[in-house]
Amino acid sequence: MPADPSARGAGETPLRRAADTPRGTAASPKSGGARTRAVEVRRSSRRRRTVSAYREGDRTVVLIPARMSEAEEQRWVTVMLDKLAAQESKRMLGDGDLAERAGRLSGQFLGGRAHPASVRWVTNQNTRWGSCTPAEGSIRLSHRLQGMPEYVIDYVLLHELAHLLVPGHGPEFWQLLESYPRTERARGYLEGVVAADRLPHLPAARRE
């Protein structure tokens, strides 16, 4: 599963200035068992190419450039909420966890037909989120996925499991992934990570 390098950058201290324009708040979607938080988007004319987010009590504040369109705003709010959720997740999955999840995902979405011989993290995949060698039954996930929301990891893992059944990316392959309810959201998250890497000096979301 190819990808550009993931987003990275130094943290930024978000400050509310006179140029920051607060927008209406909305309840953020629940992620896992997390409670719902209100989200406030603040547009700033002083921001040009940076997006940041932080917790402020029971509220999540997302700071974006004033020039962003409504569609870009919605996309970046989703990306930054996921980044915060990933940062706040303390649990890191090990190779054993991946193998267990692979078995569960295969049974739930692929009728138990995908049987990987090995599933493990690797540190030498900087342009792919995951890879699969059907002849060996081996699946490898990039370590850059560690810390991302679990539904994203599950999507990449399921993507590689599907390759054990269908090598290419034709219609038959994508039909295998249709039953996974978070396919589009996971793909959007990964695309957002790639897009974030292309923005100079994009700070990571930070906890307040």
Side-chain angles (χ1 to χ4, degrees):
M1 185 176 183
D4 290 342
S6 61
R8 55 185 178 273
E12 174 183 286
T13 302
L15 299 175
R16 182 173 178 179
R17 308 182 180 91
D20 289 344
T21 304
R23 297 177 61 85
T25 61
S28 62
K30 291 183 180 180
S31 177
R35 59 195 176 95
T36 301
R37 290 177 180 265
V39 178
E40 178 180 332
V41 178
R42 298 178 185 172
R43 289 176 174 261
S44 172
S45 59
R46 298 184 184 182
R47 286 178 174 268
R48 293 292 184 269
R49 305 178 69 84
T50 63
V51 178
S52 63
Y54 63 96
R55 304 295 193 197
E56 190 176 78
D58 291 334
R59 182 185 307 260
T60 300
V61 178
V62 181
L63 307 176
I64 65 174
R67 62 178 175 78
M68 275 193 178
S69 67
E70 294 292 331
E72 289 175 319
E73 172 187 318
Q74 186 175 27
R75 180 170 66 87
W76 277 108
V77 166
T78 299
V79 168
M80 299 309 285
L81 287 176
D82 282 340
K83 285 175 70 67
L84 280 173
Q87 289 180 0
E88 292 166 350
S89 176
K90 301 295 185 182
R91 185 166 180 259
M92 298 296 286
L93 298 173
D95 289 351
D97 296 306
L98 286 182
E100 181 180 341
R101 293 175 83 87
R104 175 177 58 79
L105 291 168
S106 176
Q108 187 173 357
F109 299 106
L110 300 175
R113 293 181 294 143
H115 302 284
S118 65
V119 185
R120 60 192 176 91
W121 296 106
V122 294
T123 58
N124 61 352
Q125 291 191 155
N126 294 318
T127 60
R128 303 175 69 87
W129 295 120
S131 61
C132 170
T133 305
E136 300 176 357
S138 61
I139 290 175
R140 298 164 296 280
L141 298 190
S142 171
H143 72 287
R144 295 176 302 129
L145 289 165
Q146 292 176 333
M148 289 189 186
E150 291 190 0
Y151 75 87
V152 176
I153 298 174
D154 280 353
Y155 166 71
V156 177
L157 186 52
L158 185 61
H159 184 109
E160 303 309 331
L161 284 168
H163 276 311
L164 292 177
L165 306 177
V166 180
H169 287 99
E172 184 182 359
F173 173 83
W174 293 112
Q175 285 175 4
L176 293 175
L177 298 182
E178 286 181 352
S179 60
Y180 183 61
R182 291 192 166 186
T183 290
E184 291 305 315
R185 187 178 179 191
R187 285 170 62 86
Y189 180 95
L190 294 172
E191 289 170 0
V193 171
V194 172
D197 186 64
R198 293 170 178 165
L199 285 176
H201 312 300
L202 181 71
R206 73 172 181 85
R207 292 186 65 182
E208 180 77 349

